[in-house]
Amino acid sequence: GYDAMGTKRFKELAEYAEMPALGLGGITEERIGEVMGLGGAGSAVMGEVMRGPDPGGSARRLIAALSGVTSE
C-alpha cells in the first residue's frame, strides 16, 4: 500500500524539492493536468493505460490532455 499525499502536499513538494517532482498513482486523463498545474515536472502512468481496452488510445488521450496545460 501507499499513502497519497494529496494536492496541497504535492504542490509543496514540487515547490521546494531540489529535483523534479513526478505524479505517481491515480493519474488519469482528467488529473494529469492538475498534477502539472501544481508544479509537477511530469507523471508516471501505468494503470490508466494498462487496464483499458485500448492502451494506445489511452496514451494518446493522456498526451493530448498535456497539450492543453499552460505554465503559470
Side-chain angles (χ1 to χ4, degrees):
Y2 61 90
D3 181 24
M5 70 171 54
T7 55
K8 181 181 178 190
R9 286 181 59 203
F10 183 81
K11 183 175 173 137
E12 291 171 355
L13 171 72
E15 289 175 359
Y16 298 107
E18 294 183 13
M19 62 186 69
L22 300 175
L24 173 64
I27 304 300
T28 63
E29 181 182 340
E30 295 78 25
R31 298 205 64 206
I32 198 164
E34 179 182 9
V35 168
M36 302 303 289
L38 292 168
S43 290
V45 181
M46 289 177 52
E48 182 77 357
V49 174
M50 293 175 18
R51 282 188 223 115
D54 179 15
S58 294
R60 284 188 293 279
R61 286 188 295 279
L62 285 159
I63 292 166
L66 285 176
S67 69
V69 175
T70 58
S71 312
E72 293 183 45

